[in-house]
């Protein structure tokens, strides 16, 4: 189904990963209608400026239930790439509530809005290798059977996001795809 989608929503499209995803989707699916979110005055769109005529930019703070419901009602996406997140480990120690608010509560808001208003939508939930915590040499390589053992607030927020996504898949049949990416770097970081 990823080869044929016509309506895609990318949360966090102004950031590092989200903006590169916009590049890829425009290249591979030039006919797709692409919706992207930004947080009012807090999300610089410099990474997307070259595509301003190809994107529908929507102001949305995913931590706000009403804003998130309006987003899903308005867009009715076939696919969501959920890249909106607090994503750095070190600030999570000073701001654990913010990390849970964005990474966990924001994801719950999206999942609830999908459940209510767009139940056929497929949503990709990107996790983090941080969810595994400190891995001992004898426990390598990491596999799907490796025990989750978060050791910082960021990792805890991503584990919570991952688990609630699975709950929506198991309980409501929400079309959730969960992945865990390890460190990645590049332009726009």
């Amino acid at each position: 189904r990823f080869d044929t989608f016509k309506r895609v929503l990318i949360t966090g499209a102004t950031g590092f990963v989200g903006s590169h995803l916009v590049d890829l989707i425009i290249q591979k699916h030039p006919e797709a209608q692409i919706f992207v979110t930004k947080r009012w005055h807090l999300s610089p769109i410099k990474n997307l400026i070259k595509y301003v005529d190809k994107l529908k930019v929507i102001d949305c703070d995913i931590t706000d239930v009403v804003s998130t419901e309006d987003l899903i009602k308005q867009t009715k996406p076939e696919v969501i790439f959920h890249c909106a997140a607090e994503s750095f480990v070190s600030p999570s120690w000073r701001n654990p509530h913010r990390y849970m608010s964005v990474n966990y509560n924001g994801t719950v808001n999206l999942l609830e809005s999908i459940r209510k208003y767009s139940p056929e939508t497929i949503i990709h939930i990107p996790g983090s290798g941080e969810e595994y915590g400190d891995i001992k040499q004898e426990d390598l390589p990491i596999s799907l059977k490796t025990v989750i053992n978060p050791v910082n607030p960021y990792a805890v927020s991503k584990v919570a996001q991952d688990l609630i996504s699975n709950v929506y898949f198991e309980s409501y049949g929400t079309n959730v795809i969960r992945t865990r990416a390890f460190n990645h770097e590049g332009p726009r970081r």
Side-chain angles (χ1 to χ4, degrees):
R1 208 165 137 188
F2 281 108
D3 291 336
T4 62
F5 60 78
K6 301 288 184 218
R7 296 173 65 81
V8 61
L9 168 63
I10 303 169
T11 67
T14 61
F16 167 54
V17 173
S19 65
H20 284 288
L21 191 53
V22 168
D23 292 342
L24 181 68
I25 291 172
I26 285 175
Q27 176 189 6
K28 299 283 185 183
H29 301 277
E31 72 292 342
Q33 188 172 15
I34 304 170
F35 301 94
V36 299
T37 63
K38 72 177 189 69
R39 289 176 300 154
W40 299 286
H41 64 290
L42 298 173
S43 298
I45 62 167
K46 67 180 186 225
N47 292 337
L48 303 177
I49 205 73
K50 65 184 171 186
Y51 299 125
V52 74
D53 60 327
K54 296 179 181 177
L55 303 173
K56 172 74 171 147
V57 180
I58 300 170
D59 287 329
C60 177
D61 181 345
I62 62 167
T63 65
D64 177 72
V65 173
V66 173
S67 179
T68 306
E69 285 185 349
D70 288 346
L71 171 71
I72 299 302
K73 285 187 224 177
Q74 179 183 348
T75 61
K76 297 277 189 186
E78 293 171 80
V79 176
I80 298 173
F81 293 98
H82 180 32
C83 298
E86 293 292 346
S87 61
F88 292 100
V89 172
S90 51
S92 75
W93 291 104
R94 291 184 309 280
N95 304 291
H97 288 90
R98 175 70 184 157
Y99 277 65
M100 286 304 283
S101 179
V102 174
N103 297 349
Y104 176 76
N105 294 337
T107 300
V108 170
N109 290 342
L110 274 172
L111 292 167
E112 265 299 286
S113 298
I114 291 166
R115 184 182 69 78
K116 291 178 183 176
Y117 306 110
S118 191
E120 298 302 312
T121 296
I122 299 168
I123 183 169
H124 172 247
I125 306 288
S128 169
E130 282 288 327
E131 294 175 55
Y132 294 108
D134 293 329
I135 301 293
K136 295 180 175 111
Q137 184 70 29
E138 60 267 17
D139 295 329
L140 291 173
I142 292 172
S143 74
L144 292 176
K145 294 180 181 181
T146 301
V147 175
I148 299 298
N149 186 27
V151 295
N152 59 66
Y154 164 71
V156 170
S157 74
K158 296 304 277 184
V159 168
Q161 177 187 49
D162 180 76
L163 293 175
I164 196 64
S165 299
N166 190 56
V167 167
Y168 273 75
F169 171 75
E170 295 289 344
S171 299
Y172 302 117
T174 305
N175 298 308
V176 175
I177 298 170
R178 299 158 31 218
T179 59
R180 289 194 188 111
F182 286 75
N183 290 359
H184 45 280
E185 282 298 332
R188 303 182 201 155
R189 174 60 106 173

